[in-house]
Amino acid sequence: MIALPILMQREKGGDGDNAGRGTSVITRTKPKTKRPNLYRVLLLNDDYTPMEFVIHILERFFQKDREAATRIMLHVHNHGVGECGIYTYEVAETKVSQVMDFARQHQHPLQCVMEKK
Ligand code: TYC
């Protein structure tokens, strides 16, 4: 682990590197490994978007194979909502935009949303 300088602190006296110059660097010794906030990306069911289109979305934007994509699509169809994947904020936001843009281009009412885990 590398000790990172976290602030410059006023200091008087001493005979070290900072002697007489009134500043010193204090360092962090604890590992600073914050976990990122994670977000679920969800697909919502509707009565009009073709099943095949939803499967294609899951393959194209969520890297699912045909079997996983079909299972998720049917889950959404039967339960109203289902999880496509879990990502950091910016990646989740990008997935939602890609799906919404693609659905709109093809004039399907498919809805995709994200929620904090
Ligand atoms: N309910 C749609 C149909 O019967 C299929 C569908 C599945 C639509 C999942 C949206 O997120 C969805 N054609």
Side-chain angles (χ1 to χ4, degrees), residues 33-39 86-90 116-117:
T33 51
K34 289 184 294 168
R35 291 162 318 208
N37 291 321
L38 293 176
Y39 295 80
I86 298 174
Y87 307 96
T88 56
Y89 184 88
E90 286 202 341
K116 197 164 187 290
K117 261 199 87 182

Side-chain angles (χ1 to χ4, degrees), residues 39-43 52-76 82-87 95 99:
Y39 295 80
R40 270 186 210 100
V41 174
L42 306 172
L43 277 178
E52 194 55 48
F53 185 81
V54 178
I55 292 169
H56 180 70
I57 290 263
L58 288 159
E59 291 175 328
R60 177 165 173 156
F61 298 117
F62 298 95
Q63 282 72 50
K64 303 300 182 189
D65 62 26
R66 194 140 189 104
E67 189 181 326
T70 303
R71 181 173 47 72
I72 294 166
M73 181 281 294
L74 285 174
H75 178 96
V76 177
E83 183 179 296
C84 310
I86 298 174
Y87 307 96
K95 302 278 182 198
V99 172

Side-chain angles (χ1 to χ4, degrees), residues 43-51 54 73 76-77 110:
L43 277 178
L44 308 184
N45 189 37
D46 66 73
D47 292 339
Y48 305 102
T49 304
M51 290 184 173
V54 178
M73 181 281 294
V76 177
H77 177 72
L110 181 65

